[in-house]
Amino acid sequence: MKRLLALLLALMVHLLTLGFVALGAWIILAHVDDLVAWLLGVTSLAIAWALRPRLGGLPADAEVLDRSSAPELYGVAERVADRVGVRRPAKVAVRDLAAETRYGRVGPLRTPVLTIGLPLWLALPPRQRVALLATAYARVPTGDELIVDGALDTLEAWRDALVGAEALQVRQEAQTKIAGSSLGTLDHPGTTYEAMGALGRLIGRVLGGPVLLVRYALTRLARAGEARTVARQRALARRAASEGELAALDALAGGGYLAPMQAAALRGESAAAIRQGALARSRLTADGVLTSPPHSELLGTHDSERVDEELLGHYTRAIRGFGLIS
């Protein structure tokens, strides 16, 4: 029931955005020769554009790899995607200093893109690399979740516009200088500006009240289904990795893998040496007992090594900035 209510409330938010589009288009088309109508219509369309659902995009620091330069990486990415049951990534990108691996559709064409965070990827044995990819694929939102998430983004834009706006810092500094100048106690040019700014913020807070209420309600309804979403994602990930492998990945992703790699980078070790050290740590328990074999059905040891060869240049560049990761 809560899931249905969240969906209906999100659809109402999106319909409001479409309403601004329809209103702006009607005003312009019904009064083509009226300049004021054009101004009002364009304003309505501009509001709709600002409130539109975001299509998403690659992070600024992501580098897309050519398939010809990383065929083995593309191969394992596609094998795991097939096993999980999602669309194969059309592009694979890497990020030097971000640990998170994400999969999503970006741009107007909704191109599926897999973005791999190199620090964690460098530390993982083949089995957990498969688990990492499976986890990323499993987090693809359903249609309902996309609608609700888009509505929350729209409500956040409303909140920022109506409630979050503050006076410009530059304008405040200029106002302070004017107030302390030779004008003394005389009225200065900023009085009207300050009054109108305060009035605008007051109106924004009055109109923003319903927005905040809807945002709060939708957030609560969305959170009510989080347990079901997590269970669905875990079930999808288990198509390619066992529960033990997923649990081991969760434990490692907490950050314990990073400090030894940072120390090795500070000692000037090569990317290959840092990789071998990470593999050695992953194969042994705290008692020094050899764990299960590192290879996976979807990514063998030799295939994983070929992936490392393809990414060696990226590893070398990335480890120079490992000290910046906190």
Side-chain angles (χ1 to χ4, degrees), residues 24-38:
W26 177 79
I27 291 175
I28 293 174
L29 294 177
H31 309 84
V32 178
D33 299 327
D34 191 338
L35 178 60
V36 175
W38 272 89

Side-chain angles (χ1 to χ4, degrees), residues 5-19 147 151 214:
L5 288 175
L7 181 60
L8 291 175
L9 190 57
L11 288 173
M12 291 175 60
V13 173
H14 291 306
L15 285 175
L16 179 61
T17 303
L18 291 176
I147 292 173
V214 173

Side-chain angles (χ1 to χ4, degrees), residues 21-280:
V21 175
L23 177 62
W26 177 79
I27 291 175
I28 293 174
L29 294 177
H31 309 84
V32 178
D33 299 327
D34 191 338
L35 178 60
V36 175
W38 272 89
L39 292 175
L40 293 175
V42 170
T43 300
S44 181
L45 293 174
I47 293 174
W49 176 259
L51 301 177
R52 75 193 186 283
R54 300 303 188 262
L55 296 178
L58 284 174
D61 60 339
E63 179 181 353
V64 177
L65 305 177
D66 292 331
R67 180 179 291 271
S68 59
S69 66
E72 212 51 66
L73 180 59
Y74 271 86
V76 66
E78 292 171 349
R79 290 193 297 273
V80 178
D82 292 342
R83 180 66 61 88
V84 174
V86 300
R87 186 178 171 188
R88 291 181 171 187
K91 298 178 181 179
V92 176
V94 295
R95 299 179 69 189
D96 289 357
L97 303 180
E100 183 184 13
T101 291
R102 296 188 301 175
Y103 169 79
R105 294 179 174 86
V106 301
L109 300 179
R110 313 310 296 148
T111 304
V113 179
L114 174 67
T115 306
I116 297 175
L118 290 182
L120 182 56
W121 180 264
L122 180 60
L124 296 179
R127 296 174 73 93
Q128 291 180 0
R129 283 181 169 180
V130 171
L132 179 68
L133 296 181
T135 301
Y137 290 139
R139 289 175 179 159
V140 175
T142 62
D144 294 354
E145 292 167 356
L146 281 175
I147 292 173
V148 172
D149 290 343
L152 286 172
D153 290 340
T154 296
L155 290 172
E156 188 67 22
W158 271 112
R159 189 197 69 82
D160 290 341
L162 294 175
V163 182
E166 297 293 342
L168 293 176
Q169 182 66 28
V170 175
R171 184 65 179 80
Q172 287 182 325
E173 292 176 356
Q175 186 67 30
T176 301
K177 292 179 180 179
I178 292 175
S181 67
S182 58
L183 290 176
T185 58
L186 296 177
D187 187 27
H188 48 79
T191 303
T192 303
Y193 174 87
E194 290 176 346
M196 294 305 295
L199 178 61
R201 289 191 292 274
L202 177 62
I203 294 174
R205 281 161 173 75
V206 171
L207 297 178
V211 172
L212 293 177
L213 182 60
V214 173
R215 177 172 171 267
Y216 172 78
L218 186 56
T219 301
R220 289 294 300 271
L221 290 172
R223 287 177 179 173
E226 282 184 355
R228 185 185 298 108
T229 299
V230 170
R232 176 186 62 82
Q233 293 174 349
R234 200 71 170 185
L236 286 175
R238 284 199 299 268
R239 294 180 180 179
S242 68
E243 184 61 40
E245 291 164 354
L246 294 173
L249 175 65
D250 291 340
L252 189 61
Y257 70 93
L258 187 58
M261 293 172 51
Q262 288 176 318
L266 290 175
R267 291 194 299 269
E269 294 185 17
S270 65
I274 293 175
R275 171 65 179 160
Q276 290 305 314
L279 284 177

